[in-house]
Each structure stands twice: as C-alpha cells, then as structure tokens.
Amino acid sequence: MDPRVLPANWPYRSAAARHRVGPIDWWVIDTGPADGPVLLLLHGLGASGHSFRRMIPGLVAAGYRVIVPDLPGHGCSRSTARNRFGLKPMAEDVWKLCQQMAIKPVAVIGHSAGGAIALQLALETPVPRVVGVNAALDHFEGVAGVIFPMMARGLAALPFTAPLVTRFGASRQRIGQLLDMTGSTIDAAGKAQYTFLIQNPEHVDGGLRMMAQWELGPLIGALPRIAKPVFLIAGNGDKAVPAHVSADAARFLPLPTLRRIDGGHLIHEVAPDGLSGMILDWLEG
C-alpha cells in the first residue's frame, strides 16, 4: 500500500518512513529519543503498526526509542519476495531491517503472530528479551490444521482472491463483527482503521500469503532452547488464541514469566495504556 493513501489521522503517520532492505520496502514508525534503548514492536496477522497506538506513548515516556515496522505485505510494507512470508524468513528479514537501521533492540514485543516472530528472533539473534501479548504459539487442531493452510495456499495463488475479499467482506459492519469475535471490543476509531486496511487488496494478499506459509512446528520444538527471559501476557477472554496457549508455552521456556489477565485478543488495543505499564514493570524490574 502506498503510504500516501493513509488517512491524515493514521496513528504515527508523521513518525514513519520508508526503509528499503533487499526485496522489502518497509514502512517503519521510529519514535522516542534517538539515543534511548530500543524496543522493537511486531504486530500480528492482518494488522499493522497502528495496532500499538496505545502502547507506544507509555514506552516513549519511559525513555525508550520505539521501532514499529509494518510486517511484509501488511499495511504499507511491500515485498516482491513472494516466498518469504513464513515465520523463519520473516524473522530473518526483520533482523536485516534492524541491521540496516543500526539498532540493537533491548527487547522485542510481539502481539499474536508477532509474538512468534519475536521468539524466533530470540532463538536466532542476540535479542535479549521477549514480550508476547497473546502470542500465537499453537497449531490448528485436528483436520483444521491441514485444511486451513491448504485453503490459504490455494487462495493466495489466485490473483482475484484479495480483491474479492475486499469487495464482499470488508464492510464496516462486517469488520466490526469480526473484531468483536476476538473477545475484544475496540473503539470506533480502531475499527475504522482495520476496515481501511482490509479494504486494501495488497494488505489482504499479504495476510493470505502469511497464513499459507506459516509453520510453527520448528519454533515450538525449539522453545526449551530459548534461554532468555520471556514475558507472556495472556487474555483470559481471548477467543482467537486461548490463554492456555501461553500457559502451555511457558512450561517449555527456561526463563518464563506468565501473567493471565482479563481481556480478549486485542487487549493492548483496549487497555488505556496499551499494557505499557505492565510491560515496563517487567522490563525494568
């Protein structure tokens, strides 16, 4: 998506810029003191950096430089590498972005699929700490684990799929209903932002490709090797990634902190401070 089409009031639009790294044209929010310790924030499937709009102010106020990229194919980040939307390639490309920007995150904070990418980074790079908010660390169960990825692969291969999704499934009412089904009720502005994204075929195509290429098995098997502090925040009312997923993952991590709280999948978009207070307590305590 061309950032020039973003609404004038899009969260942190004025703090974002393009960064070209290999086949990816990244759109990256960069805010906070330039010499502050860096926090890297990674959004989930179907979202963009805007989803951290409530979290960012508290982190910046605490003196952190906050870096928030739109993931490849999402929001305003474009990629011509059509085979690099899986977990491992995406983590590799995020790290290349960090190197190109000459930043060394003191922690990576990821929501949902972004939590999985954060843990993949902790496994393969010097990233020292991870925060996962409703981190997507589980397979689909049973036959759904076979059918849904197969469907996504088929749909992603069809050039007309994304325009059809945006045409017939992206009304404001429909998107609001889908968001409410996550167990979180975000405000009208947040719903309007998701509606804007899902009405864009490029964004929808990026989400489909990510679904089609996602493979969690190797990361789940490697959790015992992530010998770094990991803070997992799980919403008890999450209908997309149930809280037990974080609890199960914590059993295999060497240095976990698990906190279950009231809220749904988009809890960081509902909490007034975006969970920044809780995260800062862990980072600095």
Side-chain angles (χ1 to χ4, degrees):
M1 184 193 310
D2 190 327
R4 290 175 294 183
V5 307
L6 290 173
N9 62 350
W10 193 257
Y12 290 92
R13 175 179 175 172
S14 63
R18 285 282 190 206
H19 292 267
R20 182 76 183 190
V21 185
I24 302 175
D25 205 7
W26 295 89
W27 180 248
V28 185
I29 296 168
D30 185 349
T31 187
D35 59 349
V38 174
L39 295 176
L40 176 65
L41 278 55
L42 302 176
H43 65 79
L45 171 70
S48 76
H50 87 281
S51 63
F52 292 108
R53 62 197 176 278
R54 292 194 174 194
M55 184 185 295
I56 292 172
L59 303 179
V60 169
Y64 288 93
R65 179 183 176 188
V66 180
I67 305 295
V68 194
D70 286 356
L71 292 176
H74 289 66
C76 295
S77 288
R78 297 167 167 170
S79 176
T80 57
R82 311 294 279 176
N83 63 339
R84 294 193 63 79
F85 284 73
L87 173 57
K88 185 176 173 63
M90 199 169 284
E92 292 171 351
D93 290 335
V94 167
W95 190 246
K96 290 176 184 176
L97 171 67
C98 292
Q99 293 175 311
Q100 195 268 350
M101 294 183 67
I103 59 172
K104 297 179 179 179
V106 298
V108 182
I109 302 169
H111 170 249
S112 193
I117 298 171
L119 284 166
Q120 187 72 33
L121 283 168
L123 179 67
E124 297 185 346
T125 76
V127 164
R129 289 181 290 179
V130 166
V131 178
V133 179
N134 289 326
L137 298 172
D138 196 14
H139 302 288
F140 286 119
E141 296 182 0
V143 70
V146 177
I147 294 176
F148 287 165
M150 287 178 62
M151 287 177 62
R153 290 186 186 99
L155 291 171
L158 300 175
F160 52 79
T161 298
L164 283 176
V165 171
T166 59
R167 181 177 179 184
F168 295 109
S171 70
R172 184 180 295 269
Q173 180 180 8
R174 180 58 177 157
I175 298 306
Q177 292 170 342
L178 290 172
L179 291 169
D180 290 345
M181 288 170 61
T182 66
S184 295
T185 300
I186 63 175
D187 60 20
K191 289 182 178 179
Q193 288 153 5
Y194 276 104
T195 301
F196 173 80
L197 288 175
I198 298 173
Q199 286 176 340
N200 184 279
E202 289 182 75
H203 178 81
V204 172
D205 181 68
L208 285 170
R209 292 188 181 279
M210 190 170 169
M211 286 175 60
Q213 297 176 31
W214 206 246
E215 174 53 60
L216 275 173
L219 173 62
I220 293 173
L223 290 179
R225 293 194 283 115
I226 303 177
K228 299 173 181 180
V230 176
F231 182 25
L232 297 177
I233 303 171
N236 288 322
D238 190 342
K239 296 180 181 178
V241 180
H244 74 78
V245 171
S246 292
D248 292 344
R251 291 168 42 227
F252 295 98
L253 289 163
L255 298 171
T257 300
L258 172 67
R259 183 162 181 185
R260 295 178 63 155
I261 60 177
D262 292 337
H265 191 60
L266 304 177
I267 194 168
H268 63 306
E269 299 191 55
V270 176
D273 71 343
L275 303 181
S276 61
M278 183 184 305
I279 291 170
L280 289 168
D281 285 345
W282 182 78
L283 289 174
E284 299 175 357

